[in-house]
Amino acid sequence: MITTLLVANRGEIARRTIAACRALGVRSVAVHSDGDADAPHVREADAAVRLPGTAPADTYLRADLLVAAAERAGADAVHPGYGFLSESAAFARAVVEAGLTWVGPPPEAIEAMGAKIAAKELAARAGVPVFRSVPPEEAAEADLPVLIKASAGGGGRGMRIVRDLADLPAEAEAARAEAAAAFGDPAVFCERYVERGRHVEVQLLADAHGTVWAVGDRDCSVQRRHQKLIEEAPAPGLPAGLRERLHEAARRMAAAIGYTGAGTAEFLVAEDGSVSFLEMNTRLQVEHPVTECVTGLDLVEWQLRIAEGEPLPAGGPPEPRGHAVEARICTEDPLADWRPQTGTMARFAVPAARTAFAPPDRYGVRVDAGVEDGTEVGTDFDPMVAKVIAWGSSRADALRRLSAALAGARLHGVGTNRDLLVRVLRHPAFAAGEVHTRFLDLHGAAELGRPLADGRAVRLSALAAALAAAEANRAAAPVLGGLPAGWRNLPSAPHVRRYRTGAGEEVEAGYTAGRTGPVPLPTGDGDVRVHRAASDEVRLSADGVLRTFEVHRLPGGEVHVDSDLGPVALTPLSRFPDGAGDVPPGILLAPMPGTVVRVAAAEGERVEAGRPLLWLEAMKMEHRITAPAAGTVTGLPAAGARVDTGDVLAVVAPAEGGAPAPDGERR
């Protein structure tokens, strides 16, 4: 029996695993980098061990430090979570050789699935359908379009879509460089690119006694840059015959490699119904909660039970009940080419959530989060900070629950993709089950990423923010604090405050004050009246409809206003501009903290507008920084340099007539 489990991970999966330990009566041990010393997963574990350093390569990716931490804390088992070393056969062997229980498949099974090229060959031998794959240099015109993939890759890294054979050599070289930097293996291959395919996966559970369960399926087709955003179970609209083919192929794959524990077989389903095995994730998946909701199984608990040698129950896996949908909340801005967002998560709350890290006992909403109020969000780790999952009696029921829960979430201090998630969930095509891997391309990430709050909502929210600020000032006043804010015995000039929205637009909110309280200035939004104003809550009616606006002011000045009209983030503007934002031409500033991973120009080199100068890595993604105009490069950082937001990345002395170009492009 496992008595003490070391969780070799961080964030929400560490919290999820610790919660399962608590329910089972297993003692938990967390590990943490220096930056994570006060992280939620550290506080929730029974014990914690420091991994000196801040970068993943120095901490969570050090197998020797993790094994030593388990031994120091008296752990008798290790759970790898997902990401980091969860699919490292070398780490699994190190755990086993140290006399500890590895909560996962045998190292040999991990190794067999570790390289996509070899895994696809093994799948073909096992009778699992696969698309033909070729080295980039052997691809022909008839193969186009192709998808270049990293053999050791994951998370969309090292992937490129190529539609013109002339572009293939350069794209293959870029993919090799990214794969080598990310995985230490530059091997890449090409396979058929399916324009409107579906990403469907089968959850597996296999015990050490020869029983293999296909625990339902999931659709994970809505993605950005080959990374999943929304997942659901069961996969909607699959013909019964196709569903059974996928389940059988997944079971056959697991049996072929002697698999045990939880794992996932991933498939690409083309529009014509043809199927290809993509890869097998030899670990728990991020999206495992949707399967837990519809089956009632606790997959982390079963990982531990299987590691202890317990057999799966007779009779097979439970049939799915209802439908579950999960959305990944990521700290990135879809309207700024998915640029990472960093800072302090001043408030994180999902009021609609019924449970955390466990399936609800009845239809409802679950939240699995790696952050809470006050958590610092940096660029060293994946941008996903939380998952919100809704379980309903039907797909429509689950979609309505999830979109409402996300729209009503309090996400203050760090920008997220929440608005895009809500718009996708409410999109008629998504509601109709028309899901595929190009959903965002087809419907437009810019359109889907628009703020939920329209202009009217922003103006009313700005008025609420101005009134709440006045009330806060009154409450803090050392003299006459008992008088209503802005009270006057005679008519006076209006009180006006200016704000900047998250989209960069300016909005004014004004009111006059008198004996009866504040009276809003006309804005074209109908008859607006103030019913109550406090420092944290304002009640306004517009054309007879009364609404409550929650107001949360952050220490840095940013104001968040939440209402049923949509969330609004506002930055107060000074009446006296300081010009601090003026940047001389030709100077490129870092749009986010990160690490320079590649440099493509040299000091003194003449470049054209739009020429790539360097690549900045943040939150496991690469961002291409390009020349804003034609000119001569007079300053560049070295590869490996770490930069903060606003640091000078490069200097290009413009030539006469140099045309401006975008300063950054996501890769």
Side-chain angles (χ1 to χ4, degrees), residues 261-316:
T264 302
E266 301 195 347
F267 299 90
L268 182 65
V269 180
E271 286 186 278
D272 61 6
S274 59
V275 171
S276 174
F277 170 77
L278 290 175
E279 62 181 330
M280 187 166 178
N281 295 123
T282 53
R283 54 169 169 81
L284 197 68
Q285 289 281 83
V286 174
E287 55 273 19
H288 74 273
V290 292
T291 296
E292 292 187 324
C293 284
V294 299
T295 63
L297 295 172
D298 185 319
L299 294 177
V300 177
E301 177 182 333
W302 270 108
Q303 283 186 294
L304 299 178
R305 291 189 182 280
I306 290 170
E308 291 176 329
E310 184 172 331
L312 290 167

Side-chain angles (χ1 to χ4, degrees), residues 215-539:
V215 192
D217 44 73
R218 300 183 287 253
D219 186 287
C220 310
S221 299
V222 177
Q223 305 175 0
R224 62 101 175 91
R225 284 203 77 242
H226 310 291
Q227 295 192 354
K228 303 165 189 173
L229 285 179
I230 295 174
E231 303 101 350
E232 54 184 312
L238 286 185
L242 175 57
R243 196 182 304 272
E244 182 50 40
R245 281 172 55 208
L246 294 173
H247 289 199
E248 176 57 30
R251 287 190 293 264
R252 192 180 299 125
M253 195 75 211
I257 59 173
Y259 199 85
T260 60
T264 302
E266 301 195 347
F267 299 90
L268 182 65
V269 180
E271 286 186 278
D272 61 6
S274 59
V275 171
S276 174
F277 170 77
L278 290 175
E279 62 181 330
M280 187 166 178
N281 295 123
T282 53
R283 54 169 169 81
L284 197 68
Q285 289 281 83
V286 174
E287 55 273 19
H288 74 273
V290 292
T291 296
E292 292 187 324
C293 284
V294 299
T295 63
L297 295 172
D298 185 319
L299 294 177
V300 177
E301 177 182 333
W302 270 108
Q303 283 186 294
L304 299 178
R305 291 189 182 280
I306 290 170
E308 291 176 329
E310 184 172 331
L312 290 167
E319 290 296 320
R321 298 168 298 136
H323 199 91
V325 186
E326 173 182 289
R328 302 188 186 191
I329 297 178
C330 299
T331 51
E332 55 191 11
D333 184 358
L335 298 181
D337 200 22
W338 306 98
R339 181 174 297 171
Q341 306 294 292
T342 60
T344 302
M345 185 65 75
R347 179 169 295 172
F348 180 89
V350 184
R354 188 187 303 279
T355 62
F357 304 110
D361 57 0
R362 55 193 174 93
Y363 296 136
V365 174
R366 160 183 174 174
V367 61
D368 287 17
V371 297
E372 55 187 21
D373 293 2
T375 299
E376 290 294 323
V377 178
T379 58
D380 284 330
F381 306 107
D382 190 275
M384 189 191 76
V385 294
K387 306 174 305 197
V388 182
I389 307 99
W391 177 36
S393 59
S394 65
R395 185 171 186 266
D397 182 28
L399 292 180
R400 180 174 60 188
R401 290 176 188 267
L402 182 55
S403 62
L406 287 168
R410 303 321 190 222
L411 308 175
H412 301 169
V414 183
T416 72
N417 62 341
R418 180 257 303 274
D419 292 1
L420 176 134
L421 295 173
V422 173
R423 289 195 181 277
V424 170
L425 293 167
R426 292 175 175 172
H427 196 282
F430 187 84
E434 298 171 9
V435 292
H436 50 79
T437 54
R438 294 198 62 216
F439 187 92
L440 293 186
D441 295 334
L442 182 64
H443 298 288
E447 174 65 21
L448 293 168
R450 287 186 300 109
L452 295 175
D454 60 14
R456 179 169 177 266
V458 170
R459 290 188 292 272
L460 291 173
S461 296
L463 174 60
L467 294 168
E471 287 297 324
N473 292 339
R474 178 188 65 78
V479 180
L480 301 178
L483 288 180
W487 185 87
R488 296 290 188 277
N489 189 43
L490 297 171
S492 63
H495 298 265
V496 177
R497 292 179 184 264
R498 295 170 53 244
Y499 299 93
R500 177 177 291 113
T501 68
E505 299 172 348
E506 292 188 12
V507 59
E508 281 191 354
Y511 60 91
T512 57
R515 296 179 179 178
T516 59
V519 178
L521 298 179
T523 60
D525 295 312
D527 180 24
V528 179
R529 298 175 183 268
V530 181
H531 292 258
R532 179 180 180 274
S535 61
D536 59 353
E537 182 182 287
V538 174
R539 303 191 77 198

Side-chain angles (χ1 to χ4, degrees), residues 630-643:
T632 302
V633 178
T634 61
L636 276 174
R642 290 182 65 87
V643 297

